[in-house]
Amino acid sequence: MSKLVIVGTVAFDAIETPFGKTDKILGGAATFIGLAASHFNVDSAAVSVVGGDFPQKYLDLLSNRNINIDGVEIVKEGKTFFWSGRYHNDMNSRDTLATELNVLADFNPVVPEAYKNAEVVMLGNLHPIVQMGVLDQMTTKPKLTILDTMNFWMDCALDDLHNVMKKIDVITINDEEARQLTGEYSLVVAARKIHEMGPKYVVIKKGEHGALLFHDDHMFYAPALPLEEVFDPTGAGDTFAGGFAGYLAKTEDYSFENMKNAVIYGSTLASFCVEKFGTERMVDLENSEVHKRMQQFKQLTQFNIELS
């Protein structure tokens, strides 16, 4: 069984959308990535930090999904990272209402000894120096390293981001971030420029408009499954990344052709995540539901046409 190291936040979120609002609920990149990856029966470990205010039941939830939490540091006198946001009517744009770093401000990740030889490393959205610190702890070079980042790090830690990008195989970012990182409007040109920065594979997420996968001169597009209702898109990108990483860790096939399948699995899992607030849908998600929706994806994208 392949080992998967997941680095990212385990956090509290408070979310407001046109469909309602929540108080503090479970969130964080590592949480969504881990829950998605747990559908692939891989040996995964979360590397993160929480405060003494973090409920034991949430840690148990991760453990019960076979996510090793030895790398989740608990700072008993500290408070857990908290983010609050309000989504606009289009559900694609949002306003950040509060960001409280709390224990994340001094986070020094420690990879559990048993996972320092992991085949796959998923670097969730964190400061690039923290991401690099994880790679430096690996005793063997991972077969696949995946990086997620955001525009905030492009604004305030661009040099550090470029340094870690030289060490990774796959980057997952959204279309706005790809354009900011490269200064190019065309996503095809942007992907080519990102390749030159280090990553062999580039995944550009386009929210409700699907995702693009680039490798050298090859390109693959996967649509997002049209949904009747979207309640909360907060964890969709991390869920996509977790499905992508989990599938690749399970299959141990890191080719471009198999990454196409990983993109579809990531998109499928993300389509569940947005159906309820926070992690609520992912916690109850059954593998049979995933299989059924994968069939819907297949029907959505397959066609027979005679080329003349």
Side-chain angles (χ1 to χ4, degrees), residues 56-75:
Q56 182 63 40
K57 67 177 181 179
Y58 288 159
L59 294 172
D60 293 341
L61 167 65
L62 297 177
S63 294
N64 291 339
R65 299 300 289 267
N66 293 319
I67 302 166
N68 184 292
I69 58 170
D70 291 347
V72 179
E73 180 187 0
I74 302 173
V75 182

Side-chain angles (χ1 to χ4, degrees), residues 6 24 37 41 72 114 142 176 181 205 235 237 245 273:
I6 299 164
K24 280 187 178 181
N41 192 34
V72 179
E176 176 190 348
L181 186 58
K205 300 170 289 187
C273 178

Side-chain angles (χ1 to χ4, degrees), residues 271-285:
S271 74
F272 286 107
C273 178
V274 302
E275 290 182 339
K276 292 186 178 180
F277 280 106
T279 60
E280 187 178 354
R281 186 68 176 95
M282 298 306 295
V283 167
D284 298 328
L285 184 61

Side-chain angles (χ1 to χ4, degrees), residues 281-297:
R281 186 68 176 95
M282 298 306 295
V283 167
D284 298 328
L285 184 61
E286 300 287 340
N287 284 332
S288 59
E289 295 178 279
V290 178
H291 180 76
K292 183 178 179 181
R293 189 158 290 183
M294 282 292 290
Q295 293 297 321
Q296 291 179 271
F297 252 104

Side-chain angles (χ1 to χ4, degrees), residues 2-304:
S2 286
K3 293 179 182 177
L4 168 64
V5 169
I6 299 164
V7 187
T9 53
V10 174
F12 291 130
D13 290 338
I15 302 155
E16 184 176 343
T17 78
F19 299 100
K21 61 189 299 186
T22 71
D23 293 322
K24 280 187 178 181
I25 58 174
L26 177 62
T31 304
F32 285 105
I33 293 168
L35 290 174
S38 70
H39 284 273
F40 299 97
N41 192 34
V42 295
D43 183 5
S44 63
V47 177
S48 191
V49 62
V50 296
D53 58 343
F54 196 74
Q56 182 63 40
K57 67 177 181 179
Y58 288 159
L59 294 172
D60 293 341
L61 167 65
L62 297 177
S63 294
N64 291 339
R65 299 300 289 267
N66 293 319
I67 302 166
N68 184 292
I69 58 170
D70 291 347
V72 179
E73 180 187 0
I74 302 173
V75 182
K76 291 195 179 298
E77 67 278 10
K79 284 187 172 184
T80 303
F81 174 72
F82 171 69
W83 177 84
S84 175
R86 179 191 297 121
Y87 285 88
H88 299 178
N89 286 335
D90 64 1
M91 298 293 276
N92 285 323
S93 53
R94 69 189 185 191
D95 298 320
T96 294
L97 304 179
T99 301
E100 299 173 10
L101 290 178
N102 297 327
V103 293
L104 193 65
D106 300 313
F107 176 44
N108 289 310
V110 178
V111 179
E113 202 64 39
Y115 291 86
K116 289 183 177 180
N117 62 348
E119 289 85 354
V120 180
V121 175
M122 176 69 231
L123 300 171
N125 178 28
L126 284 171
H127 196 295
I129 290 178
V130 174
Q131 295 172 324
M132 184 70 88
V134 170
L135 294 182
D136 289 342
Q137 293 178 54
M138 306 304 292
T139 54
T140 58
K141 181 177 170 57
K143 293 180 179 177
L144 191 75
T145 304
I146 307 163
L147 172 82
D148 191 23
T149 191
M150 66 181 298
N151 49 9
F152 179 77
W153 306 120
M154 298 172 198
D155 291 334
C156 69
L158 185 59
D159 289 343
D160 295 322
L161 177 58
H162 279 149
N163 287 337
V164 75
M165 283 176 64
K166 295 172 185 173
K167 302 278 189 179
I168 56 111
D169 301 297
V170 185
I171 186 170
T172 69
I173 53 177
N174 68 31
D175 46 358
E176 176 190 348
E177 292 157 352
R179 289 176 173 128
Q180 178 176 340
L181 186 58
T182 62
E184 298 288 349
Y185 182 80
S186 164
L187 295 179
V188 176
V189 177
R192 189 180 304 128
K193 283 199 170 183
I194 294 170
H195 278 312
E196 294 168 358
M197 296 175 189
K200 303 178 189 71
Y201 302 90
V202 179
V203 178
I204 298 180
K205 300 170 289 187
K206 291 169 59 62
E208 63 179 326
H209 302 297
L212 290 156
L213 169 67
F214 297 90
H215 173 58
D216 292 335
D217 294 326
H218 303 288
M219 178 171 58
F220 173 71
Y221 169 70
L225 191 70
L227 299 172
E228 290 187 17
E229 293 179 313
V230 175
F231 274 84
D232 174 21
T234 304
D238 294 317
T239 301
F240 172 93
F244 181 85
Y247 177 81
L248 291 172
K250 176 188 178 182
T251 59
E252 300 183 51
D253 177 355
Y254 312 117
S255 66
F256 178 76
E257 288 302 313
N258 198 46
M259 281 193 190
K260 294 179 182 179
N261 297 328
V263 168
I264 295 294
Y265 264 106
S267 297
T268 300
L269 287 162
S271 74
F272 286 107
C273 178
V274 302
E275 290 182 339
K276 292 186 178 180
F277 280 106
T279 60
E280 187 178 354
R281 186 68 176 95
M282 298 306 295
V283 167
D284 298 328
L285 184 61
E286 300 287 340
N287 284 332
S288 59
E289 295 178 279
V290 178
H291 180 76
K292 183 178 179 181
R293 189 158 290 183
M294 282 292 290
Q295 293 297 321
Q296 291 179 271
F297 252 104
K298 195 172 181 181
Q299 293 167 7
L300 178 71
T301 55
Q302 279 196 335
F303 59 89
N304 291 315

